[in-house]
Amino acid sequence: MKKSKRFLSLILSLILISSVMVMHSIPSEAAVKYGYVDYSYLNLRSAPTTSAKKITKLSRNDTVEILSSNKGWYRVNAFHNGKIYKGYVSSGYIHSGYAPGAQNGYVNDPALNLRKGADVSYSKITVLSKNDPVKVLQTIGKWSLVSVVHKGTTYTGYVAKRYLVTGKSAGKPVSSSSTA
C-alpha cells in the first residue's frame, strides 16, 4: 500500500512539473514589447550612439518592436513605410504600448500569408489560419501591419488588409482565398 501511494505521488509530481515546464516554454504576445515614435521624426541608427550611421527616419506613430534596452537606447525592429528595419533608437522618443488607432481583429481567410513587407514581392514569414486573432498596429494603403500569436509563436508582419475583420467590419463577409 505504501509503495503504491509513493508511486502515485511520484507520478502526480512528474505531471505537475512537466505542465509547469510546458507553460513556461509557450511564447506569448506579452513577451513581445511594442512602442511607437512619440515625436515628429526619429532617426533609426546602426549602433546605439548619435554618431552612428542613420538607417532611416521614422515618423510619428511608427511602430517598433523593442528587442532590448541599454543605456537610453532600444534595439528594435522598426516598421516604416511598409518595410521592416533593424536598428537602434533613443528610448526617450518611444512611447511604450500600441500606437493610437491599433485595434483587434481576426483573419478571415483560410491561408493568409504574413509577409516581411507591404507587397506580395516580400517573402513570407508564416501562413496564418482563418480566425487567428491579430492586433492591427498600422495600416499602409492596402496592407496592415499585425502582431499575431500563431501556433504558439508571436510574429509581426504585413498582411493584405482585405483579409482581416476589425471593429465595425466584424459582421461583413470577406473573400475566402488569397495569394497575398
Side-chain angles (χ1 to χ4, degrees):
M1 182 74 170
K2 268 189 168 183
K3 284 185 180 182
S4 64
K5 281 187 179 182
R6 265 195 294 201
F7 180 74
L8 181 59
S9 177
L10 176 65
I11 295 297
L12 290 174
S13 297
L14 288 173
I15 291 170
L16 179 62
I17 289 169
S18 47
S19 68
V20 168
M21 289 172 55
V22 166
M23 285 174 51
H24 286 291
S25 67
I26 296 173
S28 71
E29 188 171 0
V32 177
K33 185 175 179 185
Y34 292 96
Y36 62 93
V37 177
D38 195 19
Y39 199 70
S40 56
Y41 72 91
L42 179 62
N43 291 320
L44 180 71
R45 298 187 177 272
S46 62
T49 176
T50 55
S51 61
K53 178 184 172 195
K54 294 177 191 174
I55 297 170
T56 193
K57 188 184 283 189
L58 304 176
S59 303
R60 182 180 298 280
N61 293 333
D62 276 352
T63 297
V64 295
E65 177 183 5
I66 301 168
L67 305 172
S68 65
S69 176
N70 188 17
K71 298 179 184 175
W73 289 86
Y74 288 142
R75 186 171 63 90
V76 299
N77 285 329
F79 305 93
H80 176 69
N81 288 340
K83 296 180 183 175
I84 302 172
Y85 298 90
K86 290 185 180 289
Y88 295 85
V89 294
S90 176
S91 61
Y93 298 99
I94 299 295
H95 187 350
S96 188
Y98 296 116
Q103 58 184 323
N104 294 320
Y106 64 89
V107 173
N108 195 14
D109 189 84
L112 181 59
N113 294 325
L114 183 70
R115 296 188 177 274
K116 291 185 178 183
D119 189 84
V120 294
S121 63
Y122 287 93
S123 61
K124 287 188 266 185
I125 298 170
T126 191
V127 179
L128 305 179
S129 303
K130 188 171 180 93
N131 296 324
D132 276 350
V134 298
K135 177 65 103 175
V136 179
L137 305 174
Q138 289 178 333
T139 298
I140 301 112
K142 296 179 180 182
W143 293 84
S144 291
L145 172 66
V146 300
S147 173
V148 58
V149 178
H150 178 69
K151 296 183 180 177
T153 301
T154 301
Y155 297 99
T156 305
Y158 293 89
V159 296
K161 75 177 182 180
R162 70 177 179 255
Y163 300 110
L164 296 178
V165 177
T166 58
K168 296 176 184 175
S169 301
K172 297 178 183 175
V174 180
S175 175
S176 64
S177 66
S178 77
T179 57

